[in-house]
Amino acid sequence: TDEKKDASGDEPRSRLFESALRDLADADARVVVIDVGPAGARRPANVAVTNLEHSGKALVRGLKTSFECRIRNFGDDNASGSVQFAVDNENTFAQNERVALLKGRAQGSEAECEMTIVFQHEFTEAGRHHVVVRWQDYNLKSDNVRRLALEVRENVRVLTVNGQASGVPEDSATFFVARALDPTLGAPSMRKSAFSVRDIGVTELTNDDLETTDLLVLADTATLPAAKVRDLENFVTAGGALFSFPGRTFETAGVLAEGRGMANELFWRQGQGLLPLRMLRVLGSDDLAADPWRFEFGADIPRSLAYFQDPRSRTIVSQTPITKIIELEPAEASGAEVLLWMRFSKALPSA
């Protein structure tokens, strides 16, 4: 605090500061003072925790989940310290990661000034929890902490709805999707699955089912009572997840009918229903030797598809051949966001 007047005869900076504080106090304003380190042209090392998120996979009791923490050095000098990770009790640290010489802005590139650290944790109890990540050093502590509140489930409650009646279980529309989610379905196993699956027929679907379901899977369900479709819309609006897998029933006359059939009347509803896009027609054949379609991922994978950031998972999906698909109208017509699309080696047949 310089008490001397400057060359122009202005008041000392300390008195101007005190005057400003008094004006703020008179206005009942709240003042927060943050120590930004020593003055000077060179910015001191200042590491901040800039992000904390979990892997995006289901948070289920008894299964490991990953938390990704990102730190960044905003100062000019290199910095060393440790990143501490805790669950629920912030003073009891579960894991610690030592960081040596995180580059400063005067020492490295933008990428070298940032680091991502992954912590793994297995929750032993279902319910609400919180995790905290703290960068431990002695400088500028106000941005050293990030917290994340979350809910851990006993399992993800899945209801698969079979729209295709069959006397042979393996021929039902839900047989494989139910077991893809829970490979131990219907059999005793010591291995825990993140999913608890219940498989029912389309006529068995009730409102009580929706109240106790996290993920609803419609398999080859081309039609439902209109009132039941409205219940599904309310289920999705309230945060429920819905997967819909078309099947052979969608090839029946009148179901699509060049984009004007019963399936669009129920599920698309001129863009007001469950589907963001109108279904147009079935493409492909049952010939397994025919040229297939495959999923195509964009260069930037959206957050909702974070699971496929793992190249192994992405490769499995993108290399799986698909012989028959339902064509949708162009996304530009409705403003729907396209997360991934299909690629085909030949020109599509004309309508």
Side-chain angles (χ1 to χ4, degrees):
T1 57
D2 187 3
E3 294 294 342
K4 297 180 180 179
K5 291 186 178 183
D6 60 22
S8 64
D10 290 339
E11 289 293 314
R13 284 173 292 178
S14 61
R15 292 180 184 174
L16 293 173
F17 181 64
E18 291 171 3
S19 176
L21 288 178
R22 283 194 295 270
D23 292 341
L24 290 171
D26 292 341
D28 292 327
R30 181 169 176 261
V31 178
V32 178
V33 179
I34 299 175
D35 180 7
V36 295
R42 191 175 185 84
R43 292 167 293 190
N46 174 25
V47 176
V49 181
T50 58
N51 192 47
L52 172 63
E53 58 187 13
H54 71 86
S55 64
K57 298 181 182 179
L59 289 166
V60 173
R61 181 191 66 81
L63 294 178
K64 280 189 176 182
T65 189
S66 297
F67 292 89
E68 187 176 281
C69 160
R70 191 158 59 246
I71 60 175
R72 186 171 187 82
N73 187 354
F74 290 94
D76 288 323
D77 299 326
N78 296 341
S80 298
S82 61
V83 180
Q84 298 174 329
F85 174 81
V87 179
D88 294 334
N89 186 347
E90 297 194 13
N91 295 318
T92 304
F93 291 98
Q95 299 175 48
N96 184 81
E97 185 79 18
R98 180 66 185 169
V99 176
L101 295 180
L102 179 61
K103 295 287 188 179
R105 301 174 72 147
Q107 310 295 326
S109 64
E110 285 290 316
E112 292 175 317
C113 295
E114 190 171 68
M115 177 181 293
T116 298
I117 300 170
V118 176
F119 296 98
Q120 287 195 325
H121 184 75
E122 179 181 315
F123 292 93
T124 58
E125 295 182 2
R128 295 179 179 177
H129 297 268
H130 79 274
V131 298
V132 59
V133 164
R134 178 178 284 110
W135 168 257
Q136 195 70 21
D137 69 359
Y138 301 100
N139 300 323
L140 309 177
K141 297 181 180 297
S142 60
D143 56 7
N144 285 12
V145 179
R146 285 267 173 163
R147 297 177 177 85
L148 181 65
L150 45 89
E151 183 172 356
V152 176
R153 299 174 181 268
E154 187 65 34
N155 47 52
V156 179
R157 301 166 298 179
V158 181
L159 183 67
T160 55
V161 180
N162 177 24
Q164 177 182 311
S166 175
V168 181
E170 289 81 356
D171 290 339
S172 72
T174 53
F175 181 83
F176 291 105
V177 67
R179 283 154 184 80
L181 294 171
D182 186 0
T184 64
L185 183 65
S189 174
M190 297 296 293
R191 182 181 178 185
K192 180 178 176 63
S193 172
F195 302 95
S196 173
V197 180
R198 189 163 69 92
D199 191 19
I200 64 173
V202 67
T203 59
E204 303 172 67
L205 183 62
T206 68
N207 281 336
D208 290 342
D209 291 324
L210 298 180
E211 292 177 359
T212 57
T213 297
D214 301 311
L215 168 60
L216 179 67
V217 179
L218 300 180
D220 201 11
T221 304
T223 182
L224 281 170
K228 185 58 61 182
V229 176
R230 300 299 182 271
D231 292 337
L232 295 183
E233 292 175 6
N234 293 333
F235 167 76
V236 172
T237 300
L242 173 65
F243 289 173
S244 179
F245 296 99
R248 291 189 179 278
T249 304
F250 283 77
E251 299 180 48
T252 305
V255 173
L256 295 182
E258 297 182 353
R260 298 185 300 275
M262 68 177 74
N264 282 310
E265 291 176 2
L266 285 171
F267 301 119
W268 179 55
R269 289 204 305 116
Q270 302 296 316
Q272 302 301 310
L274 291 167
L275 292 178
L277 299 173
R278 179 172 53 172
M279 296 179 286
L280 299 179
R281 55 178 175 161
V282 176
L283 298 175
S285 71
D286 294 322
D287 183 4
L288 298 181
D291 291 314
W293 281 269
R294 287 185 171 86
F295 281 113
E296 180 81 21
F297 289 88
D300 296 322
I301 296 179
R303 175 70 181 136
S304 54
L305 296 180
Y307 179 83
F308 297 106
Q309 289 179 349
D310 183 343
R312 294 170 299 179
S313 301
R314 191 163 63 251
T315 299
I316 291 173
V317 172
S318 61
Q319 294 304 316
T320 299
I322 300 171
T323 59
K324 191 175 291 187
I325 66 172
I326 288 182
E327 182 185 15
L328 302 178
E329 68 178 350
E332 293 78 8
S334 68
E337 181 182 2
V338 177
L339 301 182
L340 67 163
W341 54 91
M342 312 296 294
R343 69 179 189 272
F344 188 61
S345 58
K346 295 184 178 180
L348 295 179
S350 59

